[in-house]
């Protein structure tokens, strides 16, 4: 490297920072990429276009109301307002069931956190860190009666879906 510098070669600082960041992500087992949200399916699922491909991604650690459930449309609109057609940073995560799950950052904000903070989603307890910052955000939204917490007894989507499955078995 010393010979390269003496010969006049000067590595660009931005390039080195990007390389160091990429190596850190690879070494930590995580990797990230940039794309654009081209569709919002519901309050916790988006379609991201990147490098000529489209991927359907669930937002990590949250669960939004399902279609037909109270606040489903509001949750979808809130996520669309933050992410639709926006450039995004996607960090895929491991999922024991093989689903495409990721942390998605839109306009500098973690989309999952924004949904929970706005009362548009629950913390998906089965797949979240306990205690984690999402739990406090959910408690704050509940105390302020934001979004779905304005309802007397909002039903989490995992219970809503279970009711449908149980009635189909009968």
């Amino acid at each position: 490297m010393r010979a390269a510098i003496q010969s006049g070669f000067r590595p660009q600082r931005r390039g080195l920072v990007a390389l160091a960041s990429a190596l850190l992500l690879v070494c930590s087992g995580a990797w990230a990429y940039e794309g654009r949200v081209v569709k919002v399916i519901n309050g916790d699922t988006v379609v991201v276009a990147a490098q000529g491909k489209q991927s359907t991604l669930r937002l990590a650690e949250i669960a939004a109301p399902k279609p037909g459930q109270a606040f489903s449309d509001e949750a979808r609109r809130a996520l669309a307002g933050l992410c639709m057609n926006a450039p995004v940073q996607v960090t895929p995560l491991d999922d024991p069931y093989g689903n495409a799950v990721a942390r998605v950052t839109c306009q500098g904000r973690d989309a999952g956190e924004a949904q929970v903070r706005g009362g548009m989603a629950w913390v998906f307890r089965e797949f979240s860190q306990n205690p984690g910052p999402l739990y406090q955000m959910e408690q704050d939204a509940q105390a302020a009666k934001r979004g779905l917490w304005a309802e007397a007894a909002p039903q989490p989507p995992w219970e809503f879906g279970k009711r449908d499955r149980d009635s189909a078995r009968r």
Side-chain angles (χ1 to χ4, degrees):
M1 185 70 162
R2 180 179 290 169
I5 292 173
Q6 288 174 346
S7 70
F9 172 77
R10 299 269 190 253
Q12 292 184 348
R13 186 169 174 82
R14 182 187 299 171
L16 287 176
V17 170
L19 177 60
S21 297
L23 287 173
L24 181 61
L25 284 171
V26 169
C27 292
S28 69
W31 58 281
Y33 63 91
E34 293 181 356
R36 181 171 298 278
V37 171
V38 295
K39 184 176 183 180
V40 175
I41 295 175
N42 58 39
D44 61 18
T45 309
V46 295
V47 177
V48 173
Q51 301 169 349
K53 297 179 184 175
Q54 291 189 1
S55 301
T56 301
L57 303 171
R58 288 275 323 260
L59 300 181
E61 299 186 60
I62 73 164
K66 299 300 172 207
Q69 189 175 0
F71 275 91
S72 172
D73 291 338
E74 292 89 341
R76 184 184 51 74
R77 282 193 298 267
L79 185 56
L82 177 62
C83 296
M84 189 62 190
N85 294 318
V88 295
Q89 177 93 17
V90 175
T91 304
L93 301 174
D94 290 331
D95 179 68
Y97 300 106
N99 297 316
V101 176
R103 294 207 183 285
V104 178
T105 303
C106 307
Q107 302 180 48
R109 295 179 61 198
D110 181 292
E113 287 181 4
Q115 288 294 86
V116 171
R117 192 182 308 271
M120 296 295 141
W122 285 262
V123 176
F124 197 176
R125 281 153 173 73
E126 185 178 347
F127 296 106
S128 65
Q129 299 173 359
N130 187 8
L134 284 175
Y135 285 84
Q136 186 60 52
M137 292 174 200
E138 183 182 77
Q139 288 174 354
D140 293 346
Q142 190 172 14
K145 298 193 182 301
R146 282 193 298 267
L148 58 89
W149 299 110
E151 298 275 311
Q155 183 180 39
W158 54 87
E159 289 178 10
F160 181 78
K162 183 178 182 219
R163 183 193 71 198
D164 290 346
R165 287 188 300 274
D166 288 347
S167 64
R169 289 183 190 145
R170 292 182 190 150

